[in-house]
Amino acid sequence: MTKIFKHVQSTVVPLPIENIDTDQIIPARFLKATTREGFGNNLFRDWRFDGEDNPKDFVLNHPTYSGKILVAGKNFGCGSSREHAAWAIVDYGFDVVVSSFFADIFKGNALNNGLLPVQVSEAFLQKIFDAVYADPHAEVEVDLESQTIKISQTGEKESFEINPYKKACLINGYDDIDYILSNKAAIEEYELSSKS
Amino acid sequence: MGKTLFDKIWDAHVVSSKEGFPDVLYIDTQFIHEVTSPQAFDGLRKRGLPVFRPKQTVATADHNVPTWDQHLPIKEELSRYQVDMLAKNCKEFGIEFYGLGHPYQGIVHIIGPELGITRPGGTYVCGDSHTSTHGAFGAIAFGIGTSQVEQVLATQCLLQSRPKRMKIEVNGKLQKGVGAKDIILYIISQISAAGGTGYAVEYAGDTIRSISMEGRMTICNMSIEMGARCGLIAPDETTFNYVKGREFAPKGEEWDKALAYWKTLYSDEDAQFDKVLSFRAEDIEPMITYGTNPGMGIGVTQHVPNVHDIDATEQLSYANSLKYMGLHDDQSMLGQPIDYVFIGSCTNARIEDLRQVANFLKGRKKADNVTVWIVPGSKQVQKQALAEGLDKVFEAAGIPLREPGCSACLAMNEDKIPAGKYCVSTSNRNFEGRQGPNSRTFLASPLTAAAAAVTGRITDVRELLEEGELVS
């Protein structure tokens, strides 16, 4: 069963960097775990800590910024298909990632883990960055039912796209495997016809 | 209206299609490896589900494995545990496992094609983004996340929305010293690391047609580096000749039947693409990357772009990238000293890559201050290299031939580039820390990497190639 997602209102963590790849989100050397839990400790590991595990000057180490919404530059999640990237972001405590562009595989992985990728225009992304840099307590509201994202203080909002099936999955906690298994007769029929 | 190659294959695999839902797409074969499968098997256990079609699942160990002394137990505890767990899961769920020591073991995207498992018209998935490699045969091949690995194990189907279709044509004659790797690095440098996102990309044109299967796999392999969902090339005689006679390829009557079908797999003349791009082969130089994503590449004789020529919103990221690499804008890449050379990975560790490197290294020696790793893509590639005496050529150049695995492409095993060091690498990603924490990667072709191994710096391989020297 997928984690249920409906509505989030929260302060945000700004990460105005383009092309953040999944190797940065979770470096390969941390992919040796065989469960889905605990990856949050190593989220953005090499940006957060130096070789001796001392904290670096990075937004996740900055007490000013916190929240359930990560806001990042365009082409977020490019590179490796590792779902560990989505697990790490969820495990750290984020419910939403906002960017002006997402890599395909990451977007799918996020949706399969109850993490909502919200794609906004470049202009709106900049507005969120401006709002949070003007006031770190600035909040953003994301509503899945109405597919809208709003900057609470200014009331500025934008709508976002999501596949209607994936939307239903998130709101109701449906799961892809359950859905495909409901097609089992069709799968077996396909196998028979394709072998003939 | 005609259909694209992609649509022909997709339509032949749709199990069910419903308005507002992604299609249920039948998957012919799923490849699995030790890193992205354990949580999927756990999921099956929790649901009480078997693997639906274990015979259509192929497993190998590649990401974590050492590339030296593979006959000994894996030293690194977590890596050993992960590989052992895959063996255990395969046994429990009835899946054939090509583990260490097995003659078919190797990098998952190298063994599928060389065993004749990857075929024209098929659908393939793997929990690894470079699954796009298999598209070189005129197949649909997706890299997927672990939840989807579980999905395919449970149902042999993938829930997927149809991507848009893009055609990238390359026409003309390649310059001497320029190969498949340079073509794909050039394309990505032109359209950026996000230029293919949302698309299935078909590569076409007479240059692509003239390239071997190995080269086509190199090109399709890096489709993901421009964000594409997959890459594919229409099958032709080159493809059929490659597949014929391989271990699991169809034989006899089945071959004839398959071949007749495969010959229908091309984009119809009037097929509509959502986007078409065209490049000239003559414009492509040996390529090198200078930054921290695969789109940051230039011809080896060119200079690193000036920060002011970069889009204003990206200048900060650009400056950070050059800082990480220890380079500055406007600088020449030629002559840049390097410390390591890695020849390997699912991009460039096939027998043709090793032959090309061996041909170049004949009568040459690696530079004293450079460490060079040559890692074959599979046990079969290793065996073939030994049979052809390529290992002797490498040894004479001062380079031992290692054993198969993903190795320094992602540095999950011991093959890590130390912090701050420069590596010319035939792999696919130059992300920060990809080859080890704080390592610095220059992506290039096997020939350009071999030239750097000899000179100890970034070199225009064309200047070292003698008149008429056989390089491909």
Side-chain angles (χ1 to χ4, degrees):
Chain A
M1 177 160 150
T2 308
K3 196 176 121 194
I4 290 177
F5 185 103
K6 286 181 177 162
H7 184 93
V8 168
Q9 176 168 2
S10 165
T11 50
V12 309
V13 175
L15 195 51
I17 300 172
E18 288 83 36
N19 298 311
I20 294 177
D21 58 78
T22 52
D23 272 85
Q24 306 318 310
I25 298 171
I26 183 86
R29 64 186 187 279
F30 300 113
L31 306 186
K32 300 189 186 196
T34 52
T35 63
R36 290 173 180 240
E37 293 78 33
F39 289 101
N41 291 335
N42 294 314
L43 175 66
F44 294 115
R45 177 75 193 198
D46 294 336
W47 287 354
R48 266 163 87 190
F49 303 102
D50 66 15
E52 277 81 49
D53 291 342
N54 302 308
K56 288 162 78 166
D57 178 20
F58 180 64
V59 67
L60 292 188
N61 295 326
H62 210 302
T64 314
Y65 301 105
S66 65
K68 291 174 181 293
I69 302 175
L70 179 66
V71 185
K74 75 174 171 202
N75 200 25
F76 185 85
C78 59
S80 159
S81 58
R82 60 190 69 166
E83 192 163 317
H84 312 63
W87 298 337
I89 294 171
V90 171
D91 193 53
Y92 186 87
F94 291 111
D95 290 333
V96 176
V97 185
V98 179
S99 177
S100 53
F101 198 79
F102 286 95
D104 286 330
I105 304 178
F106 175 81
K107 201 192 309 187
N109 288 340
L111 289 166
N112 283 338
N113 287 279
L115 174 69
L116 184 66
V118 175
Q119 186 163 323
V120 297
S121 65
E122 282 291 345
F124 196 79
L125 185 71
Q126 196 52 51
K127 279 180 188 165
I128 301 176
F129 284 136
D130 291 346
V132 66
Y133 286 129
D135 174 10
H137 302 295
E139 291 195 339
V140 167
E141 290 170 57
V142 175
D143 185 65
L144 181 55
E145 183 58 52
S146 64
Q147 297 180 218
T148 52
I149 175 167
K150 183 166 94 176
I151 301 170
S152 306
Q153 276 81 342
T154 63
E156 288 169 289
K157 63 176 171 180
E158 195 168 271
S159 60
F160 61 86
E161 296 290 316
I162 182 170
N163 177 288
Y165 163 76
K166 277 312 206 186
K167 180 177 173 178
C169 284
L170 284 174
I171 288 176
N172 301 300
Y174 295 158
D175 178 281
D176 283 353
I177 294 183
D178 297 336
Y179 174 70
I180 302 178
L181 284 177
S182 72
N183 286 274
K184 202 165 173 189
I187 299 170
E188 282 167 349
E189 199 178 306
Y190 172 89
E191 287 181 326
L192 282 175
S193 68
S194 68
K195 275 175 191 140
S196 63
Chain B
M1 197 177 70
K3 277 187 184 183
T4 66
L5 167 64
F6 179 86
D7 289 294
K8 286 181 182 178
I9 304 169
W10 181 284
D11 291 345
H13 287 84
V14 173
V15 167
S16 90
S17 189
K18 205 157 108 183
E19 186 67 29
F21 286 73
D23 286 350
V24 177
L25 196 69
Y26 194 80
I27 301 304
D28 292 323
T29 300
Q30 168 157 244
F31 298 98
I32 59 172
H33 61 83
E34 74 275 22
V35 176
T36 57
S37 65
Q39 295 88 348
F41 284 110
D42 259 359
L44 290 183
R45 278 188 207 101
K46 281 183 192 142
R47 293 171 195 266
L49 289 172
V51 170
F52 185 60
R53 293 291 178 250
K55 291 202 171 2
Q56 285 165 251
T57 312
V58 176
T60 192
D62 56 4
H63 281 61
N64 266 320
V65 303
T67 59
W68 203 254
D69 285 342
Q70 278 188 352
H71 59 287
L72 299 177
I74 300 175
K75 283 189 207 144
E76 219 267 325
E77 196 188 332
L78 289 175
S79 299
R80 190 175 65 244
Y81 182 69
Q82 229 174 18
V83 172
D84 288 349
M85 176 154 284
L86 178 59
K88 190 175 138 276
N89 283 331
C90 286
K91 199 169 173 204
E92 181 183 335
F93 288 92
I95 295 166
E96 178 97 49
F97 174 49
Y98 304 143
L100 282 184
H102 193 286
Y104 296 162
Q105 180 267 336
I107 304 176
V108 66
H109 309 308
I110 300 225
I111 68 167
E114 77 184 2
L115 291 171
I117 297 169
T118 307
R119 303 169 195 176
T123 50
Y124 305 94
V125 294
C126 176
D128 188 287
S129 59
H130 293 109
T131 308
S132 56
T133 311
H134 305 261
F137 290 80
I140 293 180
F142 293 131
I144 57 177
T146 297
S147 295
Q148 293 170 309
V149 172
E150 183 183 342
Q151 193 180 113
V152 179
L153 287 174
T155 68
Q156 204 57 37
C157 290
L158 182 70
L159 205 53
Q160 194 76 357
S161 299
R162 194 185 296 241
K164 291 181 283 185
R165 276 76 80 202
M166 184 192 297
K167 179 160 76 169
I168 296 182
E169 287 187 338
V170 186
N171 288 298
K173 194 172 175 334
L174 288 171
Q175 296 179 39
K176 180 176 172 179
V178 174
K181 182 66 168 288
D182 301 299
I183 295 176
I184 190 63
L185 283 173
Y186 176 79
I187 293 171
I188 302 168
S189 76
Q190 298 298 302
I191 73 170
S192 92
T197 305
Y199 291 93
V201 174
E202 180 180 343
Y203 302 93
D206 57 41
T207 313
I208 302 292
R209 291 258 77 84
S210 72
I211 294 174
S212 67
M213 274 326 293
E214 284 87 350
R216 294 180 189 186
M217 284 188 254
T218 299
I219 290 175
C220 288
N221 172 274
M222 289 191 71
S223 302
I224 182 65
E225 308 311 336
M226 55 175 131
R229 204 65 195 80
C230 64
L232 69 171
I233 295 172
D236 57 14
E237 288 303 318
T238 303
T239 322
F240 310 143
N241 290 336
Y242 182 98
V243 178
K244 195 169 188 180
R246 290 187 182 265
E247 184 69 24
F248 299 109
K251 309 264 168 9
E253 260 179 52
E254 276 194 23
W255 169 265
D256 297 336
K257 199 175 141 196
L259 187 63
Y261 171 58
W262 296 348
K263 286 184 173 173
T264 68
L265 297 173
Y266 51 82
S267 287
D268 296 326
E269 291 239 338
D270 57 344
Q272 291 291 310
F273 288 87
D274 299 282
K275 196 169 186 176
V276 178
L277 299 173
S278 196
F279 299 101
R280 280 164 28 100
E282 292 80 1
D283 293 340
I284 307 175
E285 273 196 276
M287 293 290 292
I288 192 90
T289 63
Y290 57 87
T292 54
N293 75 57
M296 300 173 83
I298 48 177
V300 72
T301 63
Q302 294 171 356
H303 290 217
V304 174
N306 189 285
V307 69
H308 298 297
D309 294 332
I310 304 296
D311 190 272
T313 60
E314 293 186 26
Q315 286 182 3
L316 179 66
S317 297
Y318 184 77
N320 283 341
S321 178
L322 291 193
K323 190 175 161 205
Y324 179 87
M325 291 300 292
L327 303 177
H328 55 86
D329 51 1
D330 294 327
Q331 83 162 76
S332 164
M333 289 303 287
L334 285 179
Q336 167 72 38
I338 56 120
D339 310 291
Y340 284 76
V341 169
F342 171 55
I343 295 169
S345 86
C346 57
T347 315
N348 282 123
R350 284 169 278 271
I351 190 65
E352 184 184 271
D353 300 309
L354 298 197
R355 281 183 193 138
Q356 194 182 41
V357 169
N359 278 334
F360 177 81
L361 287 176
K362 248 176 224 157
R364 293 184 167 110
K365 269 197 175 328
K366 79 163 187 75
D368 289 339
N369 55 346
V370 176
T371 303
V372 185
W373 292 329
I374 301 182
V375 182
S378 68
K379 280 311 260 191
Q380 297 216 85
V381 170
Q382 182 191 19
K383 192 174 152 196
Q384 183 70 25
L386 295 178
E388 294 178 19
L390 305 186
D391 57 318
K392 299 282 184 295
V393 178
F394 298 143
E395 265 164 40
I399 311 163
L401 178 64
R402 301 180 76 86
E403 293 173 280
C406 297
S407 181
C409 173
L410 82 169
M412 279 193 78
N413 70 350
E414 297 90 338
D415 306 343
K416 292 176 172 48
I417 307 303
K421 298 293 183 191
Y422 289 104
C423 178
V424 175
S425 178
T426 66
S427 55
N428 38 59
R429 289 187 173 135
N430 50 350
F431 297 151
E432 287 181 31
R434 172 79 179 181
Q435 298 194 284
N438 286 307
S439 59
R440 293 156 160 173
T441 304
F442 299 124
L443 298 177
S445 71
L447 261 188
T448 296
V454 168
T455 63
R457 51 186 199 276
I458 292 176
T459 301
D460 185 348
V461 67
R462 292 170 296 186
E463 291 184 356
L464 297 185
L465 294 176
E466 287 153 37
E467 204 56 42
E469 183 169 338
L470 180 69
V471 290
S472 57

